[in-house]
Amino acid sequence: MEFEQKDKRFKERRAKHRRTQLRNYRVEIKLIGAPIYQFRVRDVSSDGAGILIKEDSKFLSMIEVGQIVDTEFISPEGTDPAGNFRAEIRHITEPNEGKNKGHYLVGLKILEKADHFEE
């Protein structure tokens, strides 16, 4: 799948198709010494997800590309992924324009299922 934007061509690099028609799909991310953050999932596949985060969110200052985070995917429709996972932050991208202006898109790669998280 290719996208065209301002005379530049971008190739889709994801290995798996992502679902984008999601209803109330959320992810909770737990960082050590911080409250649990909950975000709406923008798109999801069996091994990754994209979440939108407001540009003034304190959460953005607590994460970096390559960081491993504990997540809980909450799927009201019961579709996978759902449950506790370890995930890697793959990218933090600022959209240039459109309806997502003022937000960053954070890409998560699901690494492994976790039965529970250590406190």
Side-chain angles (χ1 to χ4, degrees):
M1 181 184 296
E2 289 186 5
F3 300 97
E4 195 168 321
Q5 181 181 10
K6 294 186 180 182
D7 299 327
K8 294 180 184 176
R9 297 187 71 77
F10 299 96
K11 286 201 173 194
E12 177 62 59
R13 295 184 296 173
R14 293 183 185 124
K16 297 191 178 179
H17 173 73
R18 292 217 176 176
R19 293 186 316 253
T20 58
Q21 301 299 319
L22 305 171
R23 294 182 59 214
N24 298 320
Y25 207 109
R26 300 180 316 279
V27 63
E28 290 183 348
I29 299 177
K30 182 177 182 187
L31 302 173
I32 296 172
I36 295 174
Y37 285 86
Q38 188 177 97
F39 303 100
R40 187 177 69 99
V41 175
R42 179 179 175 200
D43 56 52
V44 68
S45 73
S46 60
D47 65 353
I51 56 177
L52 283 175
I53 302 174
K54 288 184 181 180
E55 65 185 353
D56 61 352
S57 173
K58 186 176 179 181
F59 181 77
L60 283 173
S61 67
M62 294 191 260
I63 61 170
E64 61 186 35
V65 174
Q67 183 176 358
I68 307 300
V69 293
D70 293 331
T71 64
E72 181 179 357
F73 285 89
I74 303 164
S75 171
E77 298 168 357
T79 56
D80 282 333
N84 296 319
F85 294 88
R86 295 207 186 278
E88 178 185 2
I89 296 175
R90 295 299 296 246
H91 68 83
I92 302 170
T93 307
E94 181 178 12
N96 294 334
E97 50 192 53
K99 70 178 183 176
N100 297 325
K101 188 172 182 175
H103 290 77
Y104 280 79
L105 177 62
V106 175
L108 299 173
K109 177 175 176 52
I110 296 172
L111 301 175
E112 64 185 355
K113 181 105 171 143
D115 292 333
H116 56 76
F117 297 129
E118 296 177 12
E119 298 294 323

